[in-house]
């Protein structure tokens, strides 16, 4: 114990001596910098100025100005940093104080709401209404212990959707097809072209309409692209008129940032749901047996993957019974019939048709959207044709679906075409690092047979879908360094499918290389 005490006393003595030495040296440095060094600088100047001439004094003055400016700048900079730190610390303190005040206000608000509910309950009780407990909210619906609605108000929070329910109570949406309307896909293409020409004065090329119907058989999302005035919006409008079910046209706004802009949202203050025309049109399709088209006009005025993301996700699910969109978090008895557990089912008899322009006012459509959709380029107006007056038709979704399934089953891709696609996939993956994914291969196997069933050619269908799904992605590559690979790809297309058989793809690739 004695030895440890001696050791510890020596240790403390050394520690405090070192601490004292540290501070004394700091003081020594400060005194040297601000007193002794300055005195030595001045003594050096005094000892030297007797031998200075005019030029020497001029340079000495210049040196003094530079030194004063330098040290003045350092001092000013240090002051600025100190003031910035003080302001930052003050701001952080004020921020903490504001957060504390906000927390207190939230507590007070909750207390006031609770007190208001109690007052409202007492008022209702005094008016003679029985069965009202302290859990009842100010809008008349009683609450369960878990906070969900148990009983609904007499007025529904979905006024537009409830109106749809009442409409179809009186006028059921089922249809009975006329035998004369039971057409095959090629006849359906011709009939539509004749109808739009004779009744609407809208003219479309056979290939565009074949592509459109093949797209309906492949995906629930169709994108119509091209310059203004080529009939992008009028095509789904004419389709709606043709099937005696007018298309719902919803104009996309640049301000759309999420799905609430498109579907609507629940106003927590009024307890009413702000319904949109899009939601009403989607809900109405649940009552109908025919084909339905919802048009998102100028869909790339806002970012599609923002406001349409939930639809893009659910339509990837293999089980169509899971294609459900969340609308409200709770359930009221007065909610519309087809809103089940706060969700609405996206039925199979509806397609979302988007129109898109390419200019400075629009956003680029991303691969996430393109990969899930069938895009149709519409840059040319079809010529006038003189046809006899043609009537519209009524067709059930089940009948149209059976036509598509039959066409796909009877016109599968040939084994030779599949081998050629495999070789093309291997080349593109090796040279351009882009591959045919499972989703794209599945779409090709649906689109091309449906295109052939509509009266088209298998090679033309392959040319169109490969160009749209694969070669379009080349726009993101640095083509200036891939011109040789582009030339090799064109040669491979000619070798696999025949000289200029892939006309659209080759034209696109040549223009891409030329403009690089």
């Amino acid at each position: 114990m004695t030895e440890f005490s001696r050791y510890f006393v020596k240790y403390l003595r050394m520690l405090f001596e070192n601490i004292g030495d540290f501070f004394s040296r700091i003081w020594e440095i400060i005194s040297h910098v601000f007193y002794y060094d300055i005195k030595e600088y001045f003594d050096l100047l005094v000892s030297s100025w007797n031998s200075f001439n005019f030029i020497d004094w001029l340079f000495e003055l210049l040196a003094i100005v530079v030194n004063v400016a330098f040290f003045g700048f350092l001092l000013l900079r240090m002051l600025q940093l100190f003031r910035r730190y003080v302001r930052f610390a003050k701001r952080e303190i004020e921020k903490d104080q504001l957060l504390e005040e906000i927390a207190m206000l939230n507590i007070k608000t909750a207390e006031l709401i609770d007190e208001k509910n109690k007052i409202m309950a007492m008022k209702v009780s005094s008016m003679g209404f029985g069965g009202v407990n302290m859990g009842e909210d100010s809008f008349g619906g009683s609450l369960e212990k878990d906070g969900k609605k148990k009983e609904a108000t007499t007025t529904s929070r979905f006024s537009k959707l409830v109106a749809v329910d009442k409409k179809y109570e009186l006028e059921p949406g089922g249809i009975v097809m006329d035998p004369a309307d039971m057409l095959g896909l090629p006849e359906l293409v011709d009939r539509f072209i004749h109808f739009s020409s004779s009744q609407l004065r809208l003219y479309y090329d056979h290939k565009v309409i074949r592509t459109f119907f093949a797209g309906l058989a492949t995906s629930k999302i169709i994108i119509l692209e091209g310059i203004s005035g080529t009939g992008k919006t009028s095509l789904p409008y004419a389709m709606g008129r043709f099937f005696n079910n007018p298309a719902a046209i919803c104009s996309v706004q640049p301000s759309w940032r999420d799905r609430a802009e498109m579907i609507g949202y629940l106003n927590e203050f009024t307890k009413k749901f702000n319904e949109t025309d899009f939601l009403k049109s989607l809900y109405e399709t649940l009552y109908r047996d025919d084909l339905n088209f919802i048009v998102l006009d100028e869909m790339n005025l806002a970012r599609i993957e923002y406001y349409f993301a939930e639809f893009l996700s659910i339509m990837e699910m293999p089980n169509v019974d899971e294609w459900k969109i969340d609308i409200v978090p709770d359930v009221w008895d007065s909610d519309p019939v087809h809103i089940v557990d706060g969700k609405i089912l996206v039925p199979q008899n509806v397609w979302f048709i988007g129109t898109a322009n390419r200019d400075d006012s629009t956003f680029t459509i991303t691969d996430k959207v393109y990969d899930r959709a069938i895009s149709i380029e519409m840059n040319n107006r079809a010529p006038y044709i003189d046809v006899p007056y043609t009537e519209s038709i009524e067709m059930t979704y089940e009948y149209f679906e059976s036509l598509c399934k039959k066409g796909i089953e009877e016109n599968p891709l040939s084994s030779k075409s599949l081998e050629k696609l495999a070789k093309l996939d291997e080349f593109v993956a090796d040279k351009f690092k882009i591959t045919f994914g499972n989703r794209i291969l599945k779409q090709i196997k649906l689109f091309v047979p449906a295109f052939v069933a509509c009266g088209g050619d298998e090679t033309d269908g392959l040319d169109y879908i490969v160009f749209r799904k694969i070669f379009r992605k080349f726009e993101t590559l640095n083509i200036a360094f891939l011109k040789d690979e582009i030339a090799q790809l064109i040669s491979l297309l000619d070798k696999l499918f025949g000289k200029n058989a892939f006309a659209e793809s080759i034209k696109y690739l040549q223009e891409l290389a030329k403009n690089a």
Side-chain angles (χ1 to χ4, degrees):
M1 184 67 182
T2 305
E3 291 301 322
F4 173 77
S5 300
R6 289 175 181 172
Y7 151 74
F8 195 68
V9 169
K10 288 180 181 179
Y11 163 74
L12 290 177
R13 185 183 297 119
M14 290 176 64
L15 176 64
F16 285 111
E17 284 178 356
N18 288 336
I19 293 173
D21 188 45
F22 171 76
F23 284 106
S24 65
R25 288 188 180 184
I26 289 177
W27 172 251
E28 193 176 319
I29 291 170
I30 293 173
S31 61
H32 267 283
V33 170
F34 291 100
Y35 178 73
Y36 294 108
D37 290 348
I38 292 176
K39 184 176 179 300
E40 288 180 4
Y41 298 152
F42 186 75
D43 291 342
L44 177 62
L45 175 63
V46 170
S47 63
S48 302
W49 70 22
N50 292 328
S51 59
F52 279 7
N53 57 27
F54 176 77
I55 299 298
D56 294 328
W57 277 110
L58 187 63
F59 276 101
E60 175 62 21
L61 290 174
L62 182 62
I64 291 172
V65 171
V66 170
N67 284 324
V68 169
F70 175 71
F71 286 105
F73 170 77
L74 285 180
L75 181 61
L76 180 63
R77 189 60 181 163
M78 290 174 65
L79 287 173
Q80 288 176 342
L81 292 173
F82 178 73
R83 288 177 62 187
R84 188 176 298 173
Y85 171 76
V86 170
R87 284 199 299 268
F88 173 76
K90 183 180 178 182
R91 223 173 9 245
E92 289 299 311
I93 293 171
E94 291 175 349
K95 189 186 296 182
D96 291 338
Q97 292 173 346
L98 284 173
L99 289 173
E100 290 178 4
E101 290 179 10
I102 290 170
M104 291 299 297
L105 287 172
N106 286 334
I107 294 171
K108 291 289 185 184
T109 302
E111 291 174 354
L112 288 171
I113 290 173
D114 186 51
E115 188 174 348
K116 180 202 72 171
N117 289 337
K118 292 178 182 179
I119 292 170
M120 290 296 297
M122 287 190 295
K123 284 183 178 181
V124 174
S125 297
S126 65
M127 292 171 66
F129 296 102
V132 180
N133 55 45
M134 301 307 288
E136 188 169 53
D137 72 359
S138 59
F139 293 92
S142 64
L143 298 175
E144 293 180 345
K145 289 182 180 180
D146 61 0
K148 291 186 178 181
K149 286 283 179 180
K150 183 179 179 182
E151 298 174 2
T153 59
T154 54
T155 303
S156 175
R157 51 185 173 173
F158 293 92
S159 57
K160 291 183 180 179
L161 303 193
V162 169
V164 173
D165 288 337
K166 292 179 180 178
K167 171 186 173 183
Y168 284 95
E169 281 180 9
L170 303 173
E171 303 174 11
I175 61 173
V176 178
M177 287 187 62
D178 189 307
D181 294 338
M182 294 181 178
L183 308 172
L185 285 174
E187 294 77 25
L188 194 62
V189 170
D190 291 336
R191 178 94 171 249
F192 170 77
I193 292 173
H194 292 175
F195 166 81
S196 62
S197 301
S198 63
Q199 290 204 34
L200 306 177
R201 298 294 183 265
L202 296 172
Y203 308 103
Y204 296 101
D205 181 75
H206 275 77
K207 184 174 181 179
V208 169
I209 304 307
R210 288 190 193 110
T211 305
F212 188 88
F213 279 118
L216 297 182
T218 306
S219 172
K220 294 297 178 183
I221 307 170
I222 310 292
I223 300 176
L224 305 177
E225 298 180 276
I227 59 177
S228 298
T230 53
K232 296 188 298 297
T233 306
S234 61
L235 177 55
Y237 164 79
M239 282 286 175
R241 291 282 302 274
F242 176 62
F243 288 109
N244 281 315
N245 182 14
I249 299 179
C250 305
S251 298
V252 174
Q253 302 301 318
S255 60
W256 286 13
R257 294 291 181 270
D258 55 46
R259 64 169 221 152
E261 308 283 355
M262 182 176 68
I263 295 177
Y265 60 93
L266 180 65
N267 189 318
E268 291 294 344
F269 180 72
T270 64
K271 299 299 180 184
K272 295 286 185 181
F273 195 91
N274 288 11
E275 302 152 281
T276 62
D277 291 337
F278 177 91
L279 179 62
K280 180 185 175 184
S281 300
L282 179 61
Y283 185 79
E284 193 166 355
T285 62
L286 291 162
Y287 278 103
R288 302 191 65 94
D289 294 336
D290 49 2
L291 283 68
N292 299 267
F293 304 104
I294 298 179
V295 181
L296 295 170
D297 200 25
E298 303 289 353
M299 71 183 307
N300 59 336
L301 280 179
R303 291 194 180 276
I304 304 164
E305 60 273 19
Y306 286 2
Y307 66 83
F308 205 62
E310 194 168 0
F311 286 84
L312 294 174
S313 297
I314 66 164
M315 286 188 281
E316 288 293 292
M317 297 179 182
N319 184 0
V320 296
D321 292 332
E322 296 178 356
W323 289 20
K324 295 179 180 179
I325 300 293
D326 287 313
I327 302 297
V328 285
D330 53 7
V331 179
W332 289 18
D333 290 343
S334 61
D335 283 348
V337 174
H338 290 294
I339 290 186
V340 181
D341 296 330
K343 300 179 180 181
I344 185 174
L345 177 70
V346 179
Q348 294 301 294
N349 63 340
V350 62
W351 284 267
F352 302 99
I353 314 296
T355 66
N357 288 327
R358 292 187 179 183
D359 53 44
D360 295 337
S361 66
T362 59
F363 290 96
T364 301
I365 301 176
T366 60
D367 284 346
K368 178 181 179 180
V369 181
Y370 271 127
D371 287 352
R372 290 162 171 78
I374 294 296
S375 64
I376 301 175
E377 193 80 23
M378 297 180 67
N379 285 325
N380 300 307
R381 297 188 64 180
Y384 167 83
I385 57 172
D386 186 16
V387 293
Y389 185 85
T390 306
E391 293 287 352
S392 59
I393 67 173
E394 290 192 346
M395 180 175 288
T396 62
Y397 167 73
E398 286 76 14
Y399 181 79
F400 179 77
E401 184 184 30
S402 68
L403 285 180
C404 295
K405 286 183 177 179
K406 181 181 178 183
I408 292 170
E409 290 172 359
E410 292 180 351
N411 301 279
L413 273 174
S414 63
S415 57
K416 288 186 178 180
S417 293
L418 290 173
E419 290 175 6
K420 294 173 183 177
L421 282 176
K423 292 179 181 178
L424 180 61
D425 182 20
E426 184 180 352
F427 179 87
V428 172
D430 179 52
K431 300 294 183 179
F432 301 95
K433 310 306 177 187
I434 293 173
T435 185
F436 291 43
N438 291 331
R439 182 192 296 115
I440 292 175
L441 281 174
K442 179 182 176 182
Q443 290 179 346
I444 291 174
K445 291 177 182 179
L446 293 174
F447 177 86
V448 177
F451 184 82
V452 173
C454 289
D457 179 73
E458 183 179 270
T459 303
D460 285 343
L462 279 171
D463 178 21
Y464 192 90
I465 194 71
V466 170
F467 162 41
R468 286 279 156 206
K469 293 292 181 179
I470 301 298
F471 298 153
R472 182 198 52 77
K473 297 184 180 184
F474 287 7
E475 293 177 3
T476 61
L477 304 177
N478 194 340
I479 299 299
F481 295 95
L482 296 170
K483 289 187 176 181
D484 290 341
E485 287 80 359
I486 292 287
Q488 294 172 24
L489 177 57
I490 293 173
S491 298
L492 179 64
L493 291 174
D494 286 339
K495 179 181 177 181
L496 290 175
F497 300 98
K499 187 69 173 177
N500 290 324
F502 266 43
E504 283 194 66
S505 298
I506 291 173
K507 180 182 178 182
Y508 170 76
L509 294 171
Q510 288 174 339
E511 290 179 352
L512 205 61
K514 181 181 177 181
N515 297 328

